[in-house]
Amino acid sequence: MENQQRIKKSYLSGNWRPLCGVAVFFSMIFLNSICLARSQGTPRSDGPNANLPKFDAVSIRPSGNVSTTMLLLTPDGISATNVPLHLILRQAFGVEDDRLVGIPGWADNKRYDIQAKVTADDAPALKKISREQRFAMLQPVLQERFQLKFHHQTRELQGYALVVAKGGPKIKEYSPETPTGTNSSGQRHLSLIGNGRLESKGTQIASLAHELSFILGGQTVADKTGLTGSYDYTLQWAPDNGNDAQSSTDSAPSIFTALQEQLGLRLESEKVQADVVVIDRIEPPTAN
């Protein structure tokens, strides 16, 4: 199956946080590599993105009045519907919200439909690169069409460290011979279902740290567990809004308690040194 990412959310008056009480579906399917590599800014000849395919055709249009956002990896590129520019920047650089600095307010309020495709000759190459590299291909698009200029800084941020709790981890090592979880095909995946359930099949703890950042509102979560394998697990907790249509029960624990009780992991608040993307300039997109 083609590597795909889907993000569907409902939005409230310009803010791209999901509406309380509205079912949210956020599914990510990972193939062989689940590591969360961070892009290094403008692609350079010696950089990690230097040899990535380039999008041959790009269409960017203001979005219509729709309530659902979709972001998909397609066989020949990327398709986005009703996506705030802020979310595109986050995906393109592979960073949490607190590592994007200087984004203007209109980048949250203005939503776009984007279709970006490579040539038929380059399409097979997309199957050989990671999800993160695929989204990093949007960086040149942002530079050309949105006049993006940026630089990197190392800053100290308030975030969390994900560590092993007392008593050790309670997660199961992935075994491809005995597929488990919601996907019985043996394909590795990490899926956030609604606002209160996370299911992993054969994914690394770095992927969990990235999702915890999303769950915690964009704060950086550093993986300091020392766990290097791939794991199967289910994590279930009560969302902060307390009114999610897909949360399991009123008695579900907080995300902090659930991590410790169900996975044997713990979040510790700490200052972290992080690479931050500083936006120097960004403008509404040029015409197609």
Side-chain angles (χ1 to χ4, degrees):
M1 178 184 295
E2 176 66 23
N3 184 16
Q4 267 190 5
Q5 163 119 354
R6 293 175 178 264
I7 302 177
K8 289 186 179 181
K9 294 180 183 175
S10 296
Y11 290 88
L12 176 62
S13 61
N15 192 329
W16 53 280
R17 293 191 180 118
L19 277 166
C20 296
V22 178
V24 181
F25 174 76
F26 188 149
S27 173
M28 293 184 299
I29 300 176
F30 300 86
L31 296 181
N32 294 328
S33 176
I34 315 298
C35 64
L36 292 166
R38 303 303 186 189
S39 60
Q40 299 298 315
T42 306
R44 304 186 299 267
S45 59
D46 61 341
N49 301 325
N51 297 320
L52 294 180
K54 306 296 182 183
F55 287 121
D56 178 65
V58 178
S59 170
I60 302 175
R61 302 181 186 280
S63 180
N65 186 22
V66 296
S67 60
T68 299
T69 287
M70 297 182 64
L71 182 58
L72 295 85
L73 299 186
T74 63
D76 59 355
I78 292 175
S79 175
T81 303
N82 194 36
V83 175
L85 181 57
H86 191 148
L87 183 55
I88 291 293
L89 286 163
R90 173 176 168 154
Q91 294 298 118
F93 287 101
V95 297
E96 293 79 13
D97 287 343
D98 61 354
R99 292 171 59 192
L100 281 171
V101 178
I103 299 178
W106 65 265
D108 278 334
N109 300 326
K110 297 291 186 181
R111 297 176 173 81
Y112 297 95
D113 298 339
I114 300 175
Q115 301 293 326
K117 299 181 179 181
V118 299
T119 64
D121 290 338
D122 281 339
L126 297 184
K127 298 180 180 180
K128 301 177 182 179
I129 65 177
S130 70
R131 163 184 169 271
E132 291 71 36
Q133 289 175 311
R134 181 87 73 95
F135 281 120
M137 290 168 57
L138 288 171
Q139 289 183 28
V141 174
L142 291 165
Q143 290 172 307
E144 179 179 350
R145 298 294 299 278
F146 289 86
Q147 305 303 305
L148 171 66
K149 296 186 183 301
F150 65 94
H151 68 278
H152 287 260
Q153 289 182 358
T154 299
R155 295 189 181 184
E156 186 177 71
L157 303 175
Q158 183 62 51
Y160 292 94
L162 182 64
V163 301
V164 175
K166 185 178 180 179
K170 302 177 182 179
I171 49 180
K172 179 183 177 183
E173 192 90 24
Y174 169 69
S175 175
E177 289 78 20
T178 56
T180 60
T182 58
N183 187 339
S184 61
S185 68
Q187 188 179 63
R188 303 186 186 195
H189 71 279
L190 180 64
S191 299
L192 179 59
I193 303 171
N195 253 4
R197 185 180 176 89
L198 190 66
E199 296 181 354
S200 167
K201 175 176 174 56
T203 66
Q204 296 175 346
I205 299 302
S207 300
L208 172 60
H210 185 71
E211 284 312 297
L212 288 172
S213 172
F214 175 83
I215 293 164
L216 295 170
Q219 286 188 285
T220 292
V221 176
D223 173 19
K224 296 188 177 181
T225 62
L227 300 173
T228 59
S230 299
Y231 302 94
D232 296 346
Y233 57 83
T234 297
L235 180 67
Q236 196 157 313
W237 70 96
D240 283 343
N241 59 46
N243 189 31
D244 186 77
Q246 288 187 320
S247 61
S248 58
T249 65
D250 293 337
S251 60
S254 71
I255 184 66
F256 297 91
T257 301
L259 277 167
Q260 189 157 342
E261 292 181 347
Q262 299 170 26
L263 304 189
L265 304 177
R266 185 161 54 91
L267 284 168
E268 295 181 344
S269 179
E270 69 171 26
K271 297 283 188 180
V272 294
Q273 294 291 322
D275 177 62
V276 171
V277 179
V278 181
I279 305 300
D280 299 309
R281 178 189 177 188
I282 193 163
E283 303 291 341
T286 57
N288 292 316

